[in-house]
Amino acid sequence: MHSLTIALNMVRRIIGTRKGIITFIILPCVVVTATIALMGQNSNAKVNIPYVNQDTGPAGQHIIEELSRNDNYELKPLNGEEELRDAILDKKGTLGILIPSGFSEQLLQGNVQDIRMYELMAGEAGIMIKMNMNSIVGRMVRTTERLSVMNLDTGVQFDVFSKSLQEVSKHLIASQKTDYNLYAKNGLTNVTGFTIMFMMGLVTSIVRMILDDRRNKTMARIYSAPVRSYQIAMGHMMGSFFVGILQISIILILSRWVLGYEYNIPFLTHFLILGSFMLVAMGIASTVAGLVRNPNNASMLNNMIITPTCMIGGCFWPISFMPDYMQKAANFVPQKWVIESVERIASGGQLTDIWLPLSILGLMAVILLAIGSVILRPSDTGVGV
Amino acid sequence: MNMAFVEIKDVVKRYGTNISVDHLNLSIHEGEIFGLLGPNGAGKSTTINMMSGLMKLDHGSISVDGISVNDRPLEVKKRIGLVPQELALYETMPAADNVTFFAKLYGLRGKLLKERVEEALEFVGLQDRAKEMPATFSGGMKRRLNIACAIMHHPKLIIMDEPTVGIDPQSRNHILESVRTLNKMGSTIIYTSHYMEEVAAISDRVAIMDQGHVIACGTQQELRERVASTEKIVIKATQITEAVIDELELHPRISRVSSNEDVIELYVASSQQELQDILFICAKHNVILQSLACEEPDLESLFLNLTGRKLRD
Amino acid sequence: MNVWMIAWFELRRMFRARTVLINLFVLPLLLIFILGTALSTFFNADDKIHDLDPVKVAMVESVGNKGAVSSQLNTYLQSPDIVKMIIMQDVPTTEEAEKLLRSQKVDYVVTVPVDFDHQVMTGKEAKLELMLGSNRTANMVAGTVFDSFLDEINHGQSVAIVVGSMGLKQEVAVSSGSPSDAHSYVSVGKLNDAATSYSAAQYFAVAMLIMFLLYSGGTASDSLLNERENHTLYRLQSMPISHIQILVGKMIGSSIVAIAQTLVIITVSYVLYGTNWGQQPVLLAVTCMLLIFASMMIAAIVSLMSKSSSGASNFMQVLIVAMTFFSGGFLPIPVGFIQNIGEFTLNHWGMKSILQIMLHGNISEIISSIGMLAGICAALLAVTAIVYRKVGYHA
């Protein structure tokens, strides 16, 4: 079968040489796996929050104590605004908090001073902590409102306030959370996102090779043999696919069993999801290759497509944090569906639960590969634009 | 006798342990068309690279128009136009832009620049395609553009490295004509090829290179005279046996015999004298003659004679 | 002179290719658009996490337990803001609720213990039992909703207890304010002294600018190798110009494109998103030029040492992504080890310089960061010179 011959030839060319194995198998898989390990550690890391409490009263203290209740936050006291700023600028802390002096006094008099939050880069942690602090301060404000209605002496008011806060920190009325760990691991999205970003990059290099063939006319030579053009296209697809599957397998094996990263996803399902994505990536790369003749420009264009689609697709931040219209745009981006499938399964879903994302990925793959194969005509020399 | 325009003295070039050019000596006279002939790997391209300052010499000296290539390469380059063996064109820029760009690097400017560019394109017959991309050209047209990019600055020396590889006979003739015209216009031309017929057709003098040095050099007439055997006899016959070949080879005035199934080629000093002997020997061995022809030997046979190998090995 | 002619020709060649224009101008702008829009919600967010699918919560409540607190809870849960976030359904037992949770028919479970109201009213410990489901975001949302309510009650009760123990008259009912009041008590801390604001979204604008500048190095590398593969380098080297002029000319051509790209990115991001690039245009320009220079040096080194343009291209791509990643360009990465690697990247020092400029840091700090960048450039220049001497740019 001609397609198979072409495919196997391609595989041999890609990974048949020592350089090929290093460039396409060893190097990328090691890099991706190492990154997974690092990112895995990262998501278990706590959010570093240096703070400066210039308030001498109970309110400032209360805020700090309440924030400390969260196990994910690592609060560290510093000595002044200067030090705090430096810590943030040097990225020693994710965000910094400054409670201004006289906060408690002012609060009791009905003036709430703003707490200052120092952040170098926007992130999920910032939003959550901001929300948290607003709730804490909000409650204290309402408490003071209640107290002010009671018309107490300043000293008594202060005393009541102080003692109330102490009482509050006992948290007699609170929630008791039972966590069966049904949800997907924190950081799984980022890990998946990075993996698929890398996969797209690899597919680009493979398609580039096909483009070079077109330019070198070796593709035309194949076509001059009794081979149909669809067989050439199929052969190339199959060849790229074989190499891609090999890469996925190695990455999964290394990260699961050598590094021990717990995906909480069955191997085959994971393989299926990533494999479908690989087909879509191949489709994108070949469509680009078909539209752009010059191999250099095609690779560049492909690389430039990878970053924005990964961003919209939720590889770096949760889609739910983006505005509505962007969330809708995300539906057209394959990354979103991969991440959704991965998260679903990792939080206890079954294969049947992800039939929708998988079908969408499949559909995208079919359409893009069809377009790509039509455009990748062997006769074009590919020297122009 | 003209002053040597290009003087190559005792030049050596090594690639690792291989000697690519081995104590080469050549003189090329101003105003001549000089053919450099030799099989692949003889060192022709290397010699050209060294002449045009693209490669450093390991030993020896080359001077062009009295200027040493080693000492003042930029000066030498100003006087040379190189037509490389590989097409060296920017396929995504219009033909005229290609020529203009290179012309600028030779120092042409303004009105003169425009004139020369037009002239060059006209010369190679591409003036109608000036604004088109070389990517759309045929092989022959690309070769012609390749030439245009080397001549617009009216160089004193034009070096053409296998300029007719892979093109149709019509374009080839056009190119050979252009070479003659350029020569008449005053340029010295060095023309390398392994197509003996071309070199024979246009060169004033020829040097034959093999394995890094010159094995023969001179006008074609001189070269022919150099070799003891100047004539070639081609016999088509049947029943050619080992015995007849052996006896022919033993003949004192037959310098070389080669045979194929039904052809015997003999190299002799003068066919008139030896023809009788040859026919006698053939008859003795009952060789049945079908045809007999006497040919003036060509450079090919000269090469064969000198090296024992064919030019097109 | 020759150098400029080669540079100009290079520019003309590059701009003929439509894809180059797309890659170098349109796509960066697209990226910045995406970033700007996505991140503006990050930063200008009011305190609600909006536009999420409502969380399906199963509530288990014993029938008889309709005390004051429970009814307050229900009122709270029916309030318009909360209804957008939570959809309640009653479930008779916790076991059933758990089943629903595990089969992902509900996202969260809340069980009100039988003695809940009583415990609250008598000032004793009272816990609402919450069960987390399979969606992290839903867990966060639901957790926040219920915790807010409970904390509010806790506050009220604490005041009541203290007031009571001090023998003072208590006037007010359990709670008056709604926990979902959106009032912001947090303001942006100015990372530096000057008056203009810095939005944390700007961080990514800088990271992306630098990434694109590095990509133009990739373009330069392709061009250098193409010249060789095209055999036009052979012709160029036979001309009366020195080899180094060819190399420099081509790199200048690519640098000019990079400069144009920088101007476009900075201007458009300023006009569309008000990204404030600081008040030091000269220092900003110097930083960008140094980054472009460094990127060209890397391109030269990679091209001189590569045999083929596809190999070089792949390598540059991996290098650029790796450097951007390790310097925190895609995601903030507080892990110390990664940050240490990051300090060796070009991106890190470029970002530091530009961020300091944006934050109106004091001049000596900015200059010292730029100094580091210049140091890296000098080192790269030295390496390039060595490689060029050893390998050369040959046809």
Side-chain angles (χ1 to χ4, degrees):
Chain A
M1 216 209 131
H2 294 303
S3 302
L4 199 57
T5 315
I6 296 176
L8 287 175
N9 179 277
M10 208 177 140
V11 173
R12 202 178 317 133
R13 280 171 58 208
I14 298 176
I15 56 176
T17 61
R18 211 178 65 165
K19 193 171 171 203
I21 295 190
I22 294 180
T23 324
F24 281 102
I25 304 291
I26 297 187
L27 194 62
C29 295
V30 165
V31 170
V32 175
T33 317
T35 315
I36 292 178
L38 287 172
M39 287 174 104
Q41 274 186 10
N42 178 33
S43 40
N44 293 334
K46 297 190 184 189
V47 180
N48 279 328
I49 306 178
Y51 70 88
V52 172
N53 185 4
Q54 293 172 338
D55 180 39
T56 45
Q61 188 59 28
H62 180 74
I63 296 176
I64 301 299
E65 278 169 14
E66 290 294 290
L67 284 177
S68 307
R69 282 179 74 215
N70 189 325
D71 285 331
N72 287 330
Y73 301 156
E74 182 89 33
L75 277 93
K76 182 175 156 191
L78 291 182
N79 287 328
E81 195 176 356
E82 204 57 50
E83 220 183 307
L84 187 62
R85 280 194 206 140
D86 285 340
I88 300 299
L89 282 173
D90 284 337
K91 299 193 195 164
K92 299 271 184 303
T94 312
L95 52 83
I97 297 176
L98 186 133
I99 305 174
S101 72
F103 184 76
S104 301
E105 284 141 32
Q106 291 291 317
L107 180 64
L108 283 169
Q109 286 168 24
N111 300 327
V112 190
Q113 288 184 67
D114 276 353
I115 301 177
R116 296 209 279 272
M117 195 167 90
Y118 298 81
E119 204 179 18
L120 189 62
M121 38 191 163
E124 205 178 303
I127 301 189
M128 294 310 296
I129 289 177
K130 201 169 159 198
M131 259 179 51
N132 239 326
M133 286 203 291
N134 278 331
S135 317
I136 297 170
V137 174
R139 286 190 280 275
M140 289 198 289
V141 166
R142 282 188 283 284
T143 305
T144 51
E145 280 168 9
R146 276 179 219 134
L147 291 179
S148 64
V149 176
M150 296 205 289
N151 274 323
L152 304 163
D153 288 334
T154 324
V156 178
Q157 194 189 39
F158 187 85
D159 211 16
V160 174
F161 184 67
S162 230
K163 292 209 177 100
S164 309
L165 288 183
Q166 280 171 12
E167 191 66 31
V168 165
S169 19
K170 290 185 200 156
H171 286 282
L172 288 177
I173 304 175
S175 63
Q176 177 126 6
K177 294 196 180 80
T178 313
D179 186 356
Y180 293 119
N181 251 317
L182 297 173
Y183 47 88
K185 194 163 165 164
N186 193 13
L188 183 64
T189 306
N190 288 339
V191 163
T192 310
F194 189 77
T195 309
I196 57 187
M197 188 166 154
F198 210 85
M199 273 167 59
M200 285 179 89
L202 286 173
V203 167
T204 309
S205 345
I206 294 180
V207 171
R208 197 218 169 91
M209 189 182 291
I210 300 179
L211 271 181
D212 279 335
D213 279 351
R214 188 168 72 174
R215 187 154 77 144
N216 294 339
K217 319 263 184 67
T218 40
M219 197 192 283
R221 185 194 282 281
I222 298 177
Y223 193 47
S224 73
V227 177
R228 296 219 177 83
S229 74
Y230 83 84
Q231 289 174 317
I232 298 179
M234 276 264 290
H236 284 136
M237 306 284 182
M238 280 164 63
S240 329
F241 192 62
F242 287 156
V243 179
I245 293 293
L246 190 58
Q247 290 162 337
I248 296 178
S249 315
I250 293 184
I251 292 176
L252 285 182
I253 291 173
L254 280 181
S255 55
R256 274 166 189 270
W257 290 311
V258 174
L259 284 178
Y261 185 85
E262 260 311 320
Y263 288 97
N264 285 326
I265 306 173
F267 184 81
L268 282 178
T269 317
H270 206 177
F271 199 81
L272 181 63
I273 300 173
L274 290 180
S276 327
F277 179 74
M278 166 139 289
L279 285 173
V280 178
M282 274 167 48
I284 296 176
S286 51
T287 306
V288 168
L291 293 171
V292 176
R293 301 296 152 77
N294 186 311
N296 289 328
N297 293 341
S299 313
M300 221 199 315
L301 185 58
N302 215 19
N303 291 332
M304 294 295 203
I305 288 179
I306 294 177
T307 316
T309 48
C310 281
M311 283 183 179
I312 301 183
C315 290
F316 304 131
W317 328 284
I319 299 182
S320 40
F321 279 54
M322 289 197 256
D324 216 13
Y325 61 90
M326 284 191 74
Q327 293 191 33
K328 295 207 173 71
N331 289 329
F332 289 95
V333 163
Q335 285 89 330
K336 180 215 157 148
W337 300 108
V338 173
I339 290 178
E340 196 177 291
S341 315
V342 164
E343 294 256 321
R344 252 349 253 292
I345 303 279
S347 45
Q350 301 300 319
L351 200 52
T352 44
D353 293 325
I354 54 168
W355 72 268
L356 181 63
L358 281 182
S359 327
I360 294 183
L361 283 174
L363 189 63
M364 284 183 181
V366 166
I367 295 177
L368 288 168
L369 285 172
I371 300 178
S373 66
V374 163
I375 300 181
L376 269 176
R377 282 183 288 268
S379 54
D380 285 330
T381 53
V383 187
V385 171
Chain B
M1 188 83 166
N2 286 338
M3 241 282 281
F5 189 68
V6 179
E7 194 74 56
I8 301 177
K9 282 202 180 110
D10 203 26
V11 168
V12 177
K13 178 72 186 173
R14 292 185 197 90
Y15 284 124
T17 49
N18 288 341
I19 298 192
S20 165
V21 174
D22 192 2
H23 298 283
L24 184 70
N25 284 289
L26 263 185
S27 292
I28 296 163
H29 305 148
E30 187 162 5
E32 68 174 347
I33 300 182
F34 191 89
L36 196 54
L37 192 58
N40 290 327
K44 307 191 296 291
S45 294
T46 312
T47 308
I48 286 180
N49 287 342
M50 289 191 288
M51 242 192 271
S52 27
L54 279 151
M55 258 186 213
K56 289 232 173 340
L57 291 68
D58 286 334
H59 178 80
S61 72
I62 299 183
S63 74
V64 175
D65 201 11
I67 305 171
S68 157
V69 165
N70 264 343
D71 298 336
R72 291 158 68 198
L74 290 184
E75 278 302 312
V76 169
K77 287 177 181 178
K78 283 185 191 160
R79 290 160 168 70
I80 298 183
L82 179 61
V83 182
Q85 186 175 12
E86 306 275 0
L87 291 168
L89 303 167
Y90 292 106
E91 304 242 348
T92 58
M93 297 294 279
D97 286 26
N98 268 277
V99 184
T100 310
F101 172 59
F102 294 122
K104 282 192 192 163
L105 292 176
Y106 277 115
L108 292 174
R109 297 275 185 281
K111 211 165 84 135
L112 184 61
L113 170 66
K114 276 189 83 176
E115 279 171 17
R116 293 286 184 84
V117 169
E118 273 172 33
E119 180 194 73
L121 285 169
E122 238 184 270
F123 186 81
V124 297
L126 287 174
Q127 70 276 35
D128 294 331
R129 319 283 301 249
K131 294 218 181 345
E132 292 172 32
M133 307 288 175
T136 61
F137 290 179
S138 70
M141 288 161 70
K142 287 187 195 180
R143 288 259 165 220
R144 287 191 265 155
L145 183 58
N146 210 26
I147 294 175
C149 289
I151 58 173
M152 59 281 158
H153 58 299
H154 291 184
K156 280 183 159 190
L157 175 64
I158 301 179
I159 305 178
M160 302 176 101
D161 193 357
E162 313 255 11
T164 56
V165 170
I167 60 175
D168 56 284
Q170 202 176 2
S171 291
R172 173 193 287 201
N173 286 334
H174 193 280
I175 288 176
L176 290 175
E177 264 312 306
S178 321
V179 173
R180 288 197 192 96
T181 315
L182 286 167
N183 180 240
K184 284 205 195 86
M185 282 160 52
S187 302
T188 308
I189 313 244
I190 299 180
Y191 189 98
T192 82
S193 184
H194 61 265
Y195 291 133
M196 163 224 70
E197 314 84 36
E198 284 178 10
V199 175
I202 59 170
S203 312
D204 297 320
R205 290 197 308 139
V206 173
I208 303 182
M209 276 183 78
D210 187 34
Q211 295 185 329
H213 45 251
V214 177
I215 56 175
C217 179
T219 62
Q220 296 193 42
Q221 188 58 33
E222 282 168 3
L223 288 179
R224 264 180 250 131
E225 281 165 16
R226 251 201 62 172
V227 181
S229 334
T230 55
E231 286 195 47
K232 180 166 126 179
I233 302 177
V234 181
I235 300 177
K236 277 216 182 87
T238 56
Q239 294 187 301
I240 303 173
T241 58
E242 286 278 348
V244 73
I245 304 292
D246 286 340
E247 194 168 340
L248 286 169
E249 276 180 344
L250 284 171
H251 192 291
R253 287 184 305 281
I254 297 180
S255 64
R256 186 166 253 116
V257 182
S258 74
S259 71
N260 245 323
E261 291 175 13
D262 54 354
V263 172
I264 308 176
E265 286 178 355
L266 304 139
Y267 291 84
V268 298
S270 159
S271 56
Q272 286 167 334
Q273 291 172 340
E274 319 314 335
L275 211 44
Q276 279 195 338
D277 287 349
I278 293 170
L279 289 171
F280 182 72
I281 297 174
C282 287
K284 188 167 133 191
H285 291 268
N286 294 321
V287 173
I288 304 179
L289 292 174
Q290 289 172 330
S291 75
L292 188 148
C294 299
E295 294 175 4
E296 287 242 332
D298 49 21
L299 291 171
E300 173 101 41
S301 49
L302 174 59
F303 185 81
L304 183 61
N305 196 287
L306 289 171
T307 62
R309 300 191 323 275
K310 286 209 182 312
L311 251 183
R312 251 168 278 204
D313 251 341
Chain C
M1 206 48 231
N2 288 327
V3 169
W4 293 106
M5 277 195 285
I6 295 181
W8 178 243
F9 191 70
E10 180 82 2
L11 268 179
R12 286 181 57 210
R13 239 174 23 96
M14 283 177 75
F15 276 104
R16 269 188 185 265
R18 262 168 291 138
T19 29
V20 173
L21 289 176
I22 295 178
N23 285 340
L24 292 178
F25 293 100
V26 172
L27 278 168
L29 292 176
L30 185 66
L31 259 178
I32 292 193
F33 167 75
I34 297 174
L35 272 172
T37 331
L39 293 177
S40 60
T41 36
F42 260 166
F43 205 73
N44 301 329
D46 24 31
D47 296 309
K48 302 188 190 121
I49 307 175
H50 50 263
D51 295 336
L52 291 172
D53 292 328
V55 180
K56 296 195 277 292
V57 180
M59 172 122 98
V60 178
E61 242 189 325
S62 13
V63 177
N65 203 6
K66 288 295 182 191
V69 186
S70 302
S71 14
Q72 247 180 318
L73 177 61
N74 283 314
T75 320
Y76 169 64
L77 292 171
Q78 309 290 350
S79 64
D81 286 330
I82 303 296
V83 154
K84 274 192 233 164
M85 297 198 274
I86 306 256
I87 298 179
M88 301 294 301
Q89 62 185 91
D90 285 320
V91 176
T93 62
T94 311
E95 290 74 30
E96 272 180 60
E98 191 178 324
K99 274 206 207 113
L100 290 174
L101 188 70
R102 284 184 185 276
S103 61
Q104 298 191 3
K105 296 215 172 55
V106 297
D107 303 313
Y108 210 76
V109 173
V110 55
T111 305
V112 183
V114 177
D115 54 356
F116 186 68
D117 286 74
H118 177 72
Q119 293 288 91
V120 171
M121 294 319 258
T122 53
K124 301 215 194 78
E125 194 174 359
K127 300 266 193 258
L128 211 54
E129 283 159 24
L130 304 178
M131 227 185 267
L132 272 65
S134 46
N135 183 326
R136 219 165 54 84
T137 321
N139 291 341
M140 257 181 0
V141 172
T144 315
V145 165
F146 287 104
D147 279 334
S148 299
F149 176 77
L150 290 167
D151 284 335
E152 195 70 30
I153 307 253
N154 188 35
H155 248 261
Q157 282 304 92
S158 304
V159 173
I161 289 171
V162 169
V163 162
S165 72
M166 287 170 73
L168 299 162
K169 236 183 3 160
Q170 188 178 236
E171 289 256 336
V172 192
V174 178
S175 80
S176 55
S178 161
S180 59
D181 270 347
H183 200 243
S184 180
Y185 301 105
V186 179
S187 65
V188 177
K190 295 196 177 34
L191 281 168
N192 264 92
D193 283 322
T196 39
S197 65
Y198 167 77
S199 147
Q202 289 175 211
Y203 179 86
F204 291 106
V206 178
M208 287 295 113
L209 172 68
I210 295 182
M211 192 175 85
F212 283 112
L213 291 183
L214 294 180
Y215 269 123
S216 33
T219 318
S221 161
D222 278 342
S223 168
L224 286 171
L225 286 167
N226 268 343
E227 200 83 50
R228 192 191 281 169
E229 285 171 4
N230 219 8
H231 307 293
T232 39
L233 181 62
Y234 183 75
R235 189 191 283 285
L236 284 173
Q237 289 184 329
S238 75
M239 305 197 124
I241 55 178
S242 67
H243 293 6
I244 195 86
Q245 282 178 324
I246 304 174
L247 186 63
V248 171
K250 289 180 74 67
M251 294 208 290
I252 290 184
S254 296
S255 303
I256 295 179
V257 176
I259 293 175
Q261 191 182 26
T262 313
L263 284 172
V264 168
I265 294 178
I266 291 182
T267 316
V268 172
S269 63
Y270 175 67
V271 165
L272 284 185
Y273 293 104
T275 309
N276 185 352
W277 294 88
Q279 306 282 358
Q280 304 278 3
V282 173
L283 290 178
L284 184 61
V286 169
T287 311
C288 292
M289 296 294 276
L290 286 173
L291 283 166
I292 294 176
F293 183 81
S295 144
M296 293 296 146
M297 290 295 110
I298 296 178
I301 296 172
V302 171
S303 315
L304 291 178
M305 295 185 29
S306 295
K307 298 225 172 48
S308 74
S309 59
S310 53
S313 170
N314 284 341
F315 183 79
M316 288 294 281
Q317 169 69 9
V318 169
L319 187 66
I320 292 173
V321 170
M323 287 207 296
T324 310
F325 176 72
F326 281 108
S327 58
F330 293 126
L331 311 169
I333 304 182
V335 175
F337 171 62
I338 296 187
Q339 281 189 346
N340 288 338
I341 299 180
E343 283 182 21
F344 286 97
T345 62
L346 203 54
N347 306 50
H348 174 89
W349 294 102
M351 284 213 282
K352 198 161 181 193
S353 311
I354 299 184
L355 281 172
Q356 282 174 333
I357 295 175
M358 279 173 158
L359 292 168
H360 308 281
N362 72 59
I363 302 274
S364 61
E365 278 176 11
I366 301 178
I367 295 198
S368 76
S369 301
I370 295 184
M372 265 308 282
L373 203 53
I376 296 181
C377 288
L380 284 172
L381 181 60
V383 175
T384 310
I386 295 175
V387 171
Y388 182 75
R389 190 150 295 195
K390 218 167 169 266
V391 179
Y393 184 39
H394 292 315

